[in-house]
Amino acid sequence: MTNSRKLPFCKATMISRCVAAVAFCYLFYAIVVAAKTDPADYSALQAFHNGVSDPFHRLSNWQGDPCDDSWEGVFCASDANNLFHVTELRLLNHNLSGTLAPELGNLLNLNALDLMWNNFSGNIPSTLGNVLSLTLLLLNGNILSGKVPTEIGNLINLVRFQIDENQLSGQIPPTLGNLYNVQHLHMNNNSLNGSIPHELGRLQKAIHLLLDNNNLSGALPSELSNISTLRILQLDNNPFNPQPIPLQYGEMSSLVKLSLKNCNLQGSLLNLGRLQALQYLDLSNNQLDGTIQGSPFPPNISVIVLSNNKLTGDTSHFDTFENLQALILENNQLNGSVPVSLASASRFGSTQDNLLLDFQNNTISNVSSNLTSQVHGFTKLWLYGNPVICGSPPVELRQFCVPNTIVSVPDNVPDNSVTSCQAAACNPGIDELIPPLSARGICLCASPIKMRIRLKTPGFIFFDSYLTKFETFLSVGANLTLDQVFVASRKWEGSRLVMDIKLFPTISNAGNRSFNSSELRRIYDVFSRFQIPTDPTFGPYDLISFDFPFGTQPFSSQGSSGSLSKGAIAGIILGCAFGTSVAVAVGMFLLMRRRRLPKSAVNIFGRNADHGNIKISGVKYFTMEELLSATDSFSESHCIGRGGYGKVYKGVFKDGQVVAIKCAQEGSLQGFNEFHTEIELLSRVHHRNLVSLMGYCNDDGQQILVYEFISGGTLRDNLSPDLEEPLDFPTRIQVALGSARGILYLHTEAYPPIFHRDIKASNILLDEHKVAKVADFGLSKLAPTCEVDGSTPDHVSTVVKGTPGYLDPQYFLTRQLTDKSDVYSFGVVLLELITGMYPISQGKNLVREVNLTLVGGRFLSMVDSTMGPYPSEALERSLRLALACSSQELVDRPSMVDVVRELEDIQRSTPWMKSKAADSDYASDTDTKIFLSQKYLESSNDIWHVAPR
Ligand SMILES: *[C@@H]1O[C@H](CO)[C@@H](O)[C@H](O)[C@H]1NC(C)=O
Ligand SMILES: *[C@@H]1O[C@H](CO)[C@@H](O)[C@H](O)[C@H]1NC(C)=O
Ligand SMILES: *[C@@H]1O[C@H](CO)[C@@H](O)[C@H](O)[C@H]1NC(C)=O
Ligand SMILES: *[C@@H]1O[C@H](CO)[C@@H](O)[C@H](O)[C@H]1NC(C)=O
Ligand SMILES: *[C@@H]1O[C@H](CO)[C@@H](O)[C@H](O)[C@H]1NC(C)=O
């Protein structure tokens, strides 16, 4: 921070600096005076608090303003009006009890509700179904009772729904089949009854479906096999109707674990050879009675549990399993001999790997000495209860003929290997030796994050051979080095594996051995928001506890003005109150001093920003020097646009690469964490109809994003009436479809989902092939805006973020942002495409005008005359679609999926456009396109209209 280089970015003239200073001052005033929590959110939290019993006073700081005063577990974001909304309520494992107030349903911007591992009782409030922004709803590990509200099915953005380990009863609502974004559905260990609704087969993104340990009856729905993404299906311990395993379950090619223990299954064993991904199969404690024939298991399987059935047949079918860990067949009627090939598995005899072969209580008649001679180390062969072998066993077989039970699954003790380091050198209770380093003779102490994780349904029963893989999985998933991750202990609880994990800081060259607060926050988010990509072998995990290192508190300065002295605030307020000239002075003073003020002075979230270079895979880090040279020191001639966020420059790097460089300006700066989050979010968003982020720069605490450069200009420019080559109708449909696909991706594929909030024709760019690219999405929308050029100095008091003419009237009225707000704005863009008009011109609103002319039957007069010929039916359908999108009421608007489908259909419905769709993606030769257009135009029987010029 001692760098004294002059502020280069968004280079302002002296005059615009003054104007900026005024704006900045106003902005500051707005933050200090008006930064507070939405009253609706505040009263919802109050109502929740009133229902909570908090014996350990964990919520003792719930006083004052929730966001401004950093209430425990409350996370906020501010809108354009500097009003804070609660976006997360995370109180996992806080020893809370009481009931969940229905007012929680008023937290309409809530993204994560995490109340796991407390003692909440009573019902799940049905009002939670109103919180459409929820992506994480985590209520597991409480004592909630009553039914699962059908309204939960409204939460179409939900990615994770965990209500396991409660006392919920009643039926599983069929509406849960509407949760088309849900990936994790954990409802095990309740008292749910009735049958599993076949609607769950519609969950096209589900990965884990856990319904075990309930009171479910009825038939196993064959529709579950429609979930092509499903990896874990666990239905153990439910009194289903006696029935065979549905045939369709043999086709679930992504399935890694199938657990149907004690499910009342009958009939013969289904051939599961086609489940190529299957690693873990448990069909024990049923009444399966067929004969095992052929080779019913995929070769890669590692655990097969078929105990306590009535299976017959020859055990020689159990062979050639490369990765076998356990073959548990006890208490059946199997005969034949134990296949010697089991002994040839590579793991045999290895001291690292376990292998359990349990043939107890069958009618096995033979075991080869080739096999038994190789059984040692961690291999176990259990043959007790097979009369022919163990009736009066010869000496060499006796050891295999003693009764054994799988009480706790055997595993090796954790490796506490002696190191040459003296643990005493560390401060007890504060720090400790870093085991991965001390194992290599490097003796350093540090204070770790301690967390407890439970693998809910791992794909193995012995952990040892997975230890390194697991540590690697955690370190890669959490973006740590392998040396930072240590599994300190592990314990099986039934089929679940509980582990205590320690995460150590990296050791800097300067010998610094502690996490900084942003790193702590990041790691906490990674684990508590389940951001580690799921691994098929390890399955879903529970986060049981998360303890920050000794003496750290990563969320301590969450409030918005926490790090400015009261005097400074008072001074600024006073200065602003004196009138513009004084304000300019104060503002300029502030601007000059800005670099000496703590960064949080301009940080609307006010957390202690910790400025270092962020490393995020997939995006490039640019230095200020590179950007300066690419933009001729941010000269005005490179400026290609300005928006709420700041200015946009065209940059050309030395290697000839052209980019668009977007600089945050005063007032648009986000907190460091938010900036980091935004980059991380944007780095994962990739779609051909979205402008991609290439990199960023945060030298000197500046916030600059570097995007791919799109050469064809904005859609608005391309609708200008005096273009030489105006867009023809098929191209307009193509552009509409591309934009719609981009928006749909933001709504459904981005995680967390992104609502654009500012869809407009000038935010849609066209490349040289007229492929639409939606621009300007991301969290920067949360930042307040303030025009540098001073044209709208009262900008900060705009009520709702968005652009007049495109703004969803419902959002405006209710401030409730939904995906349908983008649908509305998209409808306006579609009307612009059809009419060429601006959303608001001469005081007239396009949506209203079109509706009026439609009523008067005069609509054709509004069709853009530069567009050339168009098929009347396709135009009419597009128009109907546009008006449906821009309906006043949310319910009347189609979803983005439907919009895309309808546009695809419109495109398909005319041969001209079909060919266009097929070739426009790749064709660069416009002549070909025109030729095709003409050809199809001539051959088409459709009625074509040309709008009067
Ligand atoms: C819940 O209550 C039970 C009994 O009162 C207690 O043993 C348990 O520790 C509590 N759990 C939590 C997370 O507070
Ligand atoms: C508080 O919660 C922890 C973690 O669940 C539990 O171990 C402990 O027993 C609880 N304490 C009380 C008094 O309920
Ligand atoms: C789930 O329920 C089963 C059966 O009641 C029980 O054995 C098991 O321990 C429970 N699991 C958890 C994690 O509570
Ligand atoms: C399970 O459901 C049956 C009805 O299907 C009911 O009679 C029984 O009491 C339920 N058992 C439990 C433990 O809830
Ligand atoms: C077999 O299992 C191993 C690990 O258990 C895995 O890496 C491999 O991809 C699997 N092969 C197939 C075909 O699923």
Side-chain angles (χ1 to χ4, degrees):
M1 305 313 292
T2 53
N3 190 338
S4 61
R5 189 171 44 199
K6 208 162 164 276
L7 245 180
F9 80 106
C10 304
K11 212 170 71 175
T13 62
M14 206 54 205
I15 292 173
S16 69
R17 273 198 186 184
C18 290
V19 181
V22 179
F24 177 59
C25 182
Y26 272 101
L27 172 66
F28 206 93
Y29 181 84
I31 290 173
V32 172
V33 175
K36 63 175 170 62
T37 305
D38 180 348
D41 287 11
Y42 174 78
S43 41
L45 289 179
Q46 282 293 355
F48 167 71
H49 196 188
N50 290 340
V52 171
S53 152
D54 176 18
F56 296 92
H57 308 291
R58 301 289 299 274
L59 308 185
S60 60
N61 77 346
W62 278 38
Q63 285 169 12
D65 185 87
C67 301
D68 212 17
D69 296 320
S70 318
W71 285 12
E72 170 80 12
V74 175
F75 297 80
C76 306
S78 76
D79 64 15
N81 201 26
N82 292 313
L83 194 60
F84 282 105
H85 300 279
V86 177
T87 54
E88 298 178 30
L89 182 57
R90 292 202 249 174
L91 295 168
L92 91 144
N93 206 336
H94 273 54
N95 289 90
L96 303 175
S97 56
T99 56
L100 302 181
E103 287 85 350
L104 281 173
N106 297 337
L107 294 172
L108 292 173
N109 293 278
L110 201 63
N111 177 282
L113 179 60
D114 178 352
L115 304 175
M116 312 187 283
W117 316 120
N118 285 290
N119 266 333
F120 286 109
S121 54
N123 294 339
I124 298 178
S126 59
T127 50
L128 286 179
N130 298 335
V131 191
L132 297 185
S133 47
L134 274 178
T135 60
L136 300 180
L137 180 51
L138 312 175
L139 302 174
N140 47 305
N142 284 287
I143 43 181
L144 296 166
S145 55
K147 293 186 174 181
V148 181
T150 53
E151 290 83 352
I152 297 294
N154 298 341
L155 301 176
I156 52 164
N157 290 306
L158 210 54
V159 172
R160 197 175 264 270
F161 180 52
Q162 296 186 178
I163 50 170
D164 45 304
E165 297 185 51
N166 278 289
Q167 296 171 6
L168 297 161
S169 55
Q171 306 207 351
I172 298 174
T175 53
L176 295 192
N178 300 337
L179 300 176
Y180 66 86
N181 275 311
V182 87
Q183 296 177 2
H184 306 271
L185 207 56
H186 302 176
M187 304 198 273
N188 53 287
N189 287 71
N190 280 289
S191 302
L192 300 170
N193 58 35
S195 45
I196 300 177
H198 61 83
E199 284 85 352
L200 296 190
R202 300 207 308 249
L203 300 173
Q204 280 311 306
K205 294 189 184 167
I207 299 175
H208 300 147
L209 181 56
L210 314 185
L211 298 173
D212 52 292
N213 296 298
N214 277 292
N215 193 13
L216 297 167
S217 53
L220 292 174
S222 58
E223 289 84 353
L224 296 183
S225 67
N226 296 339
I227 312 177
S228 59
T229 47
L230 198 63
R231 289 192 182 154
I232 295 183
L233 179 60
Q234 183 145 340
L235 305 177
D236 308 341
N237 299 324
N238 280 296
F240 293 111
N241 289 353
Q243 63 195 304
I245 309 170
L247 275 178
Q248 292 85 345
Y249 289 12
E251 306 290 333
M252 300 174 73
S253 56
S254 299
L255 212 57
V256 173
K257 179 165 182 173
L258 178 62
S259 200
L260 301 174
K261 171 182 175 168
N262 191 19
C263 284
N264 239 339
L265 299 173
Q266 288 189 338
S268 51
L269 188 66
L270 186 63
N271 188 326
L272 301 170
R274 295 167 65 128
L275 303 184
Q276 285 298 323
L278 196 68
Q279 292 180 13
Y280 192 117
L281 173 71
D282 189 342
L283 299 174
S284 63
N285 297 68
N286 285 294
Q287 290 106 48
L288 297 171
D289 59 4
T291 302
I292 292 181
Q293 297 170 344
S295 163
F297 309 105
N300 214 15
I301 197 160
S302 64
V303 177
I304 301 175
V305 188
L306 297 173
S307 45
N308 301 313
N309 279 290
K310 298 174 199 155
L311 294 165
T312 57
D314 193 324
T315 52
S316 62
H317 295 296
F318 298 95
D319 61 0
T320 62
F321 300 118
E322 282 287 317
N323 293 309
L324 195 65
Q325 273 206 341
L327 178 58
I328 301 176
L329 301 174
E330 67 176 54
N331 296 322
N332 278 289
Q333 292 153 26
L334 298 164
N335 54 32
S337 51
V338 178
V340 180
S341 63
L342 284 174
S344 66
S346 55
R347 56 185 56 247
F348 235 77
S350 147
T351 50
Q352 275 301 305
D353 296 334
N354 291 285
L355 177 64
L356 171 59
L357 304 171
D358 176 3
F359 290 88
Q360 295 182 100
N361 297 316
N362 278 286
T363 52
I364 309 284
S365 52
N366 191 16
V367 54
S368 150
S369 60
N370 284 345
L371 175 66
T372 53
S373 65
Q374 294 187 53
V375 176
H376 53 71
F378 292 97
T379 301
K380 294 173 188 66
L381 175 62
W382 295 351
L383 296 171
Y384 173 81
N386 287 283
V388 177
I389 299 174
C390 291
S392 48
V395 176
E396 68 272 19
L397 284 185
R398 268 179 211 158
Q399 55 164 314
F400 306 114
C401 286
V402 291
N404 280 291
T405 21
I406 307 170
V407 235
S408 66
V409 182
D411 213 334
N412 291 345
V413 273
D415 178 23
N416 281 328
S417 48
V418 203
T419 76
S420 51
C421 299
Q422 297 285 323
C426 305
N427 307 308
I430 296 179
D431 55 13
E432 51 192 88
L433 280 173
I434 304 174
L437 296 182
S438 50
R440 300 208 302 265
I442 304 168
C443 307
L444 291 172
C445 308
S447 187
I449 293 170
K450 294 181 186 163
M451 61 180 181
R452 177 166 288 186
I453 273 183
R454 183 170 65 178
L455 300 187
K456 281 183 167 174
T457 169
F460 47 78
I461 65 169
F462 301 115
F463 179 61
D464 290 338
S465 43
Y466 293 95
L467 177 60
T468 311
K469 195 179 166 214
F470 183 70
E471 288 177 339
T472 308
F473 159 71
L474 288 187
S475 66
V476 170
N479 204 0
L480 301 165
T481 66
L482 197 49
D483 278 347
Q484 290 182 266
V485 178
F486 181 63
V487 176
S489 77
R490 63 227 197 217
K491 194 173 119 218
W492 286 92
E493 284 180 4
S495 62
R496 294 169 156 92
L497 180 61
V498 181
M499 285 185 275
D500 286 313
I501 316 272
K502 292 179 180 175
L503 303 176
F504 289 89
T506 46
I507 309 300
S508 74
N509 290 339
N512 194 347
R513 288 168 224 167
S514 56
F515 293 102
N516 63 37
S517 63
S518 66
E519 181 72 347
L520 282 178
R521 173 69 199 273
R522 184 188 72 77
I523 295 173
Y524 178 65
D525 281 353
V526 164
F527 286 97
S528 69
R529 298 193 59 107
F530 303 95
Q531 288 166 348
I532 297 190
T534 51
D535 178 278
T537 302
F538 300 120
Y541 68 86
D542 274 327
L543 179 63
I544 311 263
S545 63
F546 189 101
D547 296 327
F548 291 100
F550 179 85
T552 62
Q553 177 44 280
F555 310 130
S556 55
S557 57
Q558 192 187 347
S560 74
S561 58
S563 40
L564 253 202
S565 78
K566 290 253 154 64
I569 294 170
I572 295 161
I573 294 174
L574 245 148
C576 287
F578 261 116
T580 312
S581 58
V582 181
V584 169
V586 173
M588 279 190 58
F589 169 74
L590 256 181
L591 205 67
M592 301 306 172
R593 272 182 53 96
R594 195 178 74 91
R595 306 198 28 120
R596 275 183 285 142
L597 281 178
K599 265 291 172 316
S600 41
V602 290
N603 173 354
I604 58 155
F605 288 80
R607 288 186 201 126
N608 280 330
D610 204 326
H611 293 274
N613 294 338
I614 314 164
K615 284 191 195 63
I616 295 168
S617 63
V619 292
K620 186 169 169 347
Y621 175 77
F622 293 98
T623 64
M624 186 54 77
E625 276 73 20
E626 286 173 284
L627 298 185
L628 283 168
S629 110
T631 57
D632 203 3
S633 302
F634 292 95
S635 74
E636 278 304 312
S637 63
H638 281 252
C639 184
I640 51 172
R642 70 188 54 183
Y645 183 83
K647 287 191 183 179
V648 186
Y649 295 85
K650 180 177 178 177
V652 184
F653 288 121
K654 290 211 176 77
D655 63 2
Q657 191 177 29
V658 187
V659 293
I661 300 174
K662 205 168 152 184
C663 325
Q665 64 194 9
E666 310 288 353
S668 284
L669 291 171
Q670 315 171 61
F672 177 78
N673 289 339
E674 286 69 27
F675 184 61
H676 180 233
T677 312
E678 169 154 21
I679 296 173
E680 201 167 63
L681 181 74
L682 297 182
S683 72
R684 284 184 267 126
V685 172
H686 294 290
H687 190 273
R688 74 186 296 261
N689 296 114
L690 297 173
V691 177
S692 327
L693 180 72
M694 292 174 50
Y696 67 96
C697 168
N698 70 323
D699 280 1
D700 300 344
Q702 311 220 1
Q703 300 184 345
I704 299 180
L705 298 174
V706 180
Y707 287 93
E708 63 173 321
F709 181 76
I710 310 294
S711 61
T714 71
L715 173 57
R716 195 55 250 180
D717 298 341
N718 278 272
L719 290 176
S720 156
D722 15 80
L723 283 184
E724 256 173 42
E725 274 189 57
L727 301 180
D728 58 16
F729 182 69
T731 307
R732 292 183 195 217
I733 294 300
Q734 180 68 25
V735 166
L737 179 57
S739 318
R741 283 182 178 144
I743 299 166
L744 176 65
Y745 177 91
L746 292 175
H747 287 181
T748 58
E749 301 291 323
Y751 178 77
I754 299 174
F755 297 149
H756 190 297
R757 299 180 187 215
D758 203 10
I759 298 286
K760 54 180 171 185
S762 53
N763 270 340
I764 293 170
L765 307 177
L766 302 188
D767 74 3
E768 68 270 31
H769 306 306
K770 306 279 186 239
V771 173
K773 308 254 185 189
V774 178
D776 207 26
F777 48 86
L779 291 184
S780 54
K781 296 291 152 214
L782 294 175
T785 59
C786 174
E787 300 286 351
V788 160
D789 64 12
S791 58
T792 48
D794 56 351
H795 201 99
V796 284
S797 57
T798 309
V799 180
V800 180
K801 175 79 191 172
T803 305
Y806 294 96
L807 193 59
D808 167 14
Q810 290 296 324
Y811 174 40
F812 187 81
L813 287 175
T814 61
R815 278 190 290 104
Q816 289 170 24
L817 186 73
T818 70
D819 53 343
K820 294 287 179 77
S821 301
D822 285 349
V823 172
Y824 181 91
S825 316
F826 177 78
V828 179
V829 172
L830 193 48
L831 285 179
E832 277 181 273
L833 277 163
I834 297 170
T835 65
M837 295 178 188
Y838 282 87
I840 292 182
S841 54
Q842 293 157 4
K844 288 183 175 165
N845 178 298
L846 182 58
V847 176
R848 230 189 49 230
E849 290 302 303
V850 173
N851 273 303
L852 285 177
T853 53
L854 203 64
V855 172
R858 293 175 290 113
F859 173 72
L860 284 184
S861 66
M862 290 190 75
V863 176
D864 187 357
S865 58
T866 68
M867 183 158 77
Y870 54 85
S872 56
E873 197 200 312
L875 182 103
E876 203 184 310
R877 284 178 72 180
S878 322
L879 179 67
R880 261 188 270 125
L881 178 63
L883 290 178
C885 288
S886 49
S887 302
Q888 290 290 309
E889 298 299 326
L890 296 188
V891 288
D892 298 333
R893 296 180 204 156
S895 70
M896 219 57 220
V897 187
D898 295 329
V899 172
V900 168
R901 280 201 198 115
E902 175 67 4
L903 284 167
E904 284 171 346
D905 217 43
I906 291 173
Q907 193 177 58
R908 261 196 302 273
S909 71
T910 31
W912 181 16
M913 294 196 221
K914 217 184 297 167
S915 82
K916 183 127 192 137
D919 80 347
S920 74
D921 290 2
Y922 308 105
S924 54
D925 180 353
T926 17
D927 292 343
T928 320
K929 268 194 268 177
I930 290 165
F931 170 72
L932 282 171
S933 315
Q934 288 300 333
K935 192 171 106 193
Y936 279 104
L937 184 56
E938 283 154 19
S939 66
S940 167
N941 294 325
D942 201 357
I943 309 158
W944 295 77
H945 284 269
V946 182
R949 266 194 176 253

